[in-house]
Amino acid sequence: EEQLVDSGGGLVQPGGSLRLACAASGFTFSGYWMSWVRQAPGKGLEWVANIKEDGSAKYYVDSVRGRFTISRDNAKNSLYLQMNSLRAEDTAVYYCAKDGAGYPVWGQGTLVTVSS
Amino acid sequence: ETVLTQSPGTLSLSPGERATLSCTASQSVTSNYLAWYQQKPGQAPRLLIYGASSRATGTPDRFSGSGSGTDFTLTINRLEPEDFAVYYCQQYGGLKTFGQGTKVEIK
């Protein structure tokens, strides 16, 4: 069974940092683009970033570019999102997702709360 | 960036009725790379439709997608109790974007 498990969320002060992780299993992780998608409380879905199979290409939504960094470790079947200079508006559930025709596999999500 | 606008915002229907959800793109969606997702409270989204009209694995055949270019539709025939949820469209042809969602609620 293809599975993604998100972790690393928590409460952080404005201006702080947090690193999210996503552990993949049940498929050849190195063969797929991967994405992070977030959802603010009571709001819709927002694509955040994605990364090519070998990590050589990365794309970001304008609101996080320069503050967030997506990366991956294919040897560990893991995806990461380093989040710096966090703002209140970054508060959301963050999901990792396997790219394909749409997103056929999602993690369960991890909650990031930015508040003092 | 391609902006997706979903309508209506909320659809109030009874079990057994047909739901018609619309998704309009601000520019033509590359190769009809348009997906639909269902999300229930406290759960991750679930892929229903990809390529505008192809059902994902496990999607019941009462769900169908249609459209091309800038106008897309998700139709749910004979609503079942488990179909009441929020539905999102997404274009994945370039930088990926989602619509704002349509809530299908019990009338």
Side-chain angles (χ1 to χ4, degrees), chain A residues 35 37 39 43-47 50 59-62 65 95 99-104 106-108, chain B residues 1 35 37 39 42-47 49-51 88 90 92 94-101:
Chain A
S35 289
V37 176
Q39 186 170 38
K43 303 297 184 182
L45 301 169
E46 180 182 38
W47 170 79
N50 65 349
Y59 299 94
Y60 300 91
V61 68
D62 286 349
R65 189 175 296 114
Y95 298 97
D99 278 38
Y103 293 139
W106 294 68
Q108 85 285 4
Chain B
E1 174 186 320
Y37 299 86
Q39 188 179 33
Q43 296 184 16
R46 169 195 169 195
L47 177 66
I49 300 287
Y50 64 91
Y88 295 94
Q90 179 210 22
Y92 53 94
L95 291 184
K96 305 169 193 299
T97 51
F98 289 90
Q100 81 279 19

Side-chain angles (χ1 to χ4, degrees), chain A:
Chain A
E1 178 193 4
E2 299 183 359
Q3 190 174 13
L4 297 170
V5 178
D6 302 315
S7 61
L11 175 63
V12 60
Q13 292 188 338
S17 298
L18 210 55
R19 189 194 195 207
L20 306 184
C22 169
S25 60
F27 64 98
T28 305
F29 180 74
S30 60
Y32 293 90
W33 284 71
M34 295 292 295
S35 289
W36 287 100
V37 176
R38 68 183 178 183
Q39 186 170 38
K43 303 297 184 182
L45 301 169
E46 180 182 38
W47 170 79
V48 173
N50 65 349
I51 185 168
K52 194 176 179 180
E53 295 94 330
D54 61 359
S56 62
K58 304 174 185 181
Y59 299 94
Y60 300 91
V61 68
D62 286 349
S63 59
V64 309
R65 189 175 296 114
R67 299 188 299 122
F68 289 11
T69 301
I70 189 171
S71 62
R72 65 193 297 161
D73 185 335
N74 287 341
K76 294 183 177 180
N77 290 335
S78 293
L79 177 72
Y80 305 101
L81 186 67
Q82 177 67 44
M83 304 186 295
N84 299 331
S85 303
L86 282 161
R87 307 166 179 168
E89 55 264 34
D90 296 319
T91 294
V93 174
Y94 286 73
Y95 298 97
C96 68
K98 173 191 171 189
D99 278 38
Y103 293 139
V105 185
W106 294 68
Q108 85 285 4
T110 187
L111 176 62
V112 173
T113 303
V114 184
S115 174
S116 55

